[in-house]
Amino acid sequence: MIEDLNVARDAALADVAAAASLDDVAALDARLLGKKGELAAFKRQLGSLASVDERKAAGAAVNEALAAVSVALDERRAELAAAARSAAVESERLDLTEFTARPARGHAHVVTQAWERLEDVFIGLGYQVAEGPEVETDWFNFEALNMADGHPARGEFDTLFVDHVAPGGTPGHTLLRTHTSPVQIRAMQAMEPPIYIVAPGRVFRRDTPDATHMPVFHQIEGLVVDRGITMAHLAGTIEAFTKAFFGGNVESRLRPSYFPFTEPSAEFDIRRPNGDWLELGGCGMVHPAVLRAGGIDPEEYTGFAFGFGIDRMAVMRHQIADIRDMYTNDLRFVEQF
Ligand code: PHE
């Protein structure tokens, strides 16, 4: 009987090892260990054995076989459960890399880059950076710059007025600055010569946006006031700045022009390697009336000033076709620079 038992036990263990699922294991458990199971059948045979010793030995063997099969079933169940768990984990897995990765690092806008590079160039030439308010008075924006009320040049600055009356002021005299030139006056009032400043900032004009105009744009103003300053200093400064900003193969030139606040006045152009001349901005020797408005004696000091568009510099540097693209916040555009 013990030999039969051993054969049955080995067969049972082989079946357990071959079980492919938890359902198989459950079925085997009932078939092998249940009251009416294959191994229980051996228990019923014990009574038919002749001697007590034989019964004892065979009883122990049956119990060992039952225990061995039971342990094998438990182990197989644990194996299959672990495999099922890892299969479930694998199939339900979520890729969270996107959320744990560090966010992409941004960078300064193309206009801010031009603004900062311009500041760097002039700081390198020994200039200080000055600032003025974006909401200005008529006096700083026009009057002090030699454009009295009714001056025809005022009409060329499509001015946006602000619905605000300064204490003791007159209605219609508060405006959004149309250029950075009022910072010339503020700097002269605040500092003693020698003055070497640049004033970058936002300016406003009542313009309809198109490929080359925006109602809000940026300028950088330069002002030098010192003893013995001449037009040659102005021309040399424009040339030095052009080379520093655009590179050695770009030239500059001055063209006679007119601004109420400079005399003589000029427009300055740069020549790109392809030979095209492009207008960059205005400049000239600070008008004596403007020095006086800034509290400076024109008999003692002279100076030059210049002003040009920062947005245009960015457009030229990167060959941007439409200035409006810089302000649509389209990342596909912005990320190129
Ligand atoms: N303020 C002038 C403009 O906006 C530019 C300029 C600045 C011209 C300084 C001469 C001197 O057009």
Side-chain angles (χ1 to χ4, degrees):
M1 179 197 139
I2 289 189
E3 265 140 54
D4 290 349
L5 173 67
N6 287 343
V7 169
R9 181 198 62 198
D10 290 348
L13 290 176
D15 285 350
V16 172
S21 70
L22 287 169
D23 285 349
D24 287 358
V25 174
L28 279 172
D29 196 324
R31 198 188 97 201
L32 301 170
L33 301 181
K35 273 214 167 98
K36 297 185 178 158
E38 288 174 21
L39 295 174
F42 286 97
K43 268 192 176 165
R44 286 193 294 276
Q45 293 176 32
L46 290 176
S48 63
L49 291 173
S51 75
V52 173
D53 284 347
E54 262 184 308
R55 281 209 291 275
K56 254 191 180 171
V62 172
N63 281 340
E64 270 170 39
L66 283 167
V69 170
S70 171
V71 165
L73 281 165
D74 284 348
E75 282 175 2
R76 188 67 190 138
R77 211 182 335 259
E79 263 171 41
L80 288 167
R85 241 192 332 273
S86 47
V89 165
E90 186 59 35
S91 74
E92 290 165 15
R93 173 158 132 180
L94 294 176
D95 184 354
L96 299 179
T97 16
E98 195 184 339
F99 302 100
T100 56
R102 288 224 242 147
R105 188 137 175 232
H107 63 73
H109 186 267
V110 63
V111 172
T112 309
Q113 288 177 38
W115 171 319
E116 289 175 351
R117 273 181 46 96
L118 287 162
E119 281 185 358
D120 285 351
V121 167
F122 283 105
I123 288 168
L125 293 172
Y127 286 59
Q128 282 178 275
V129 177
E131 271 186 359
E134 292 173 356
V135 181
E136 265 295 9
T137 61
D138 182 82
W139 190 82
F140 279 104
N141 197 81
F142 292 123
E143 195 100 20
L145 291 164
N146 207 27
M147 286 178 276
D149 212 0
H151 193 292
R154 283 195 182 207
E156 284 173 29
F157 295 99
D158 299 294
T159 310
L160 288 155
F161 289 91
V162 174
D163 211 359
H164 169 263
V165 183
T170 338
H173 281 240
T174 309
L175 46 83
L176 299 181
R177 66 178 179 192
T178 58
H179 52 175
T180 42
S181 298
V183 187
Q184 288 185 36
I185 307 297
R186 292 184 176 274
M188 287 190 276
Q189 288 184 343
M191 305 165 80
E192 291 289 324
I195 298 169
Y196 290 79
I197 57 122
V198 282
R202 197 156 26 177
V203 300
F204 309 83
R205 290 191 198 172
R206 209 184 54 231
D207 254 340
T208 307
D210 63 27
T212 54
H213 295 89
M214 286 292 284
V216 180
F217 59 106
H218 303 85
Q219 285 187 334
I220 185 165
E221 192 82 9
L223 173 70
V224 167
V225 180
D226 204 343
R227 289 179 211 276
I229 295 294
T230 71
M231 195 92 182
H233 295 120
L234 169 60
T237 302
I238 298 286
E239 180 71 9
F241 142 74
T242 302
K243 295 258 190 285
F245 190 83
F246 290 102
N249 53 2
V250 175
E251 278 180 69
S252 67
R253 77 175 175 196
L254 298 187
R255 233 175 341 103
S257 185
Y258 172 77
F259 296 100
F261 31 95
T262 45
E263 180 59 36
S265 300
E267 252 154 303
F268 62 95
D269 307 332
I270 58 158
R271 179 157 61 178
R272 296 204 294 206
N274 71 4
D276 287 353
W277 285 101
L278 281 166
E279 186 188 317
L280 257 200
C283 61
M285 301 305 293
V286 182
H287 195 288
V290 174
L291 289 171
R292 256 183 252 115
I296 287 170
D297 179 1
E299 299 297 327
E300 192 176 349
Y301 293 104
T302 51
F304 67 73
F306 57 82
F308 52 85
I310 297 176
D311 314 70
R312 294 200 78 193
M313 301 289 281
V315 161
M316 276 178 224
R317 222 178 119 76
H318 301 289
Q319 271 128 58
I320 294 165
D322 190 322
I323 207 162
R324 289 169 293 190
D325 286 342
M326 299 201 292
Y327 296 103
T328 50
N329 289 337
D330 185 334
L331 284 179
R332 291 169 302 178
F333 174 83
V334 162
E335 280 172 351
Q336 291 178 77
F337 308 99

